[in-house]
Amino acid sequence: MADLKNKEIRTLSVDDLNSKLKDARAELFNLRFQMATSQLDNTSRVKIVKKNIARIQTEMRARELAVK
């Protein structure tokens, strides 16, 4: 999963956001597993994936509040 930009996230549908969030969480799980077994080479990827998750969750919450 590539690094997502805010502009890209805003153009996605709710279903796409949920899909991207699920993929990002799975990737984070795999990265953590690799880190625990000392197989992770690029440790900065964990930070990038966490930021992507936060961006997606922020956009989802903003849409939720806009509906109310």
Side-chain angles (χ1 to χ4, degrees), residues 25-67:
R25 285 182 172 160
E27 183 179 358
L28 182 59
F29 175 80
N30 289 330
L31 289 172
R32 285 181 173 155
F33 192 85
Q34 289 176 6
M35 197 173 354
T37 59
S38 300
Q39 295 177 348
L40 185 62
D41 296 328
N42 185 6
T43 56
S44 64
R45 184 73 186 140
V46 174
K47 185 176 181 181
I48 293 168
V49 173
K50 283 182 177 182
K51 282 188 176 186
N52 283 341
I53 291 171
R55 285 183 180 124
I56 293 169
Q57 288 177 329
T58 301
E59 179 61 27
M60 290 172 75
R61 180 66 177 152
R63 289 182 186 187
E64 182 181 320
L65 292 175
V67 171

Side-chain angles (χ1 to χ4, degrees), residues 4-16:
L4 296 172
K5 302 295 180 197
N6 288 335
K7 186 183 287 187
E8 296 170 15
I9 291 173
R10 281 189 230 115
T11 62
L12 296 174
S13 69
V14 176
D15 291 335
D16 289 339

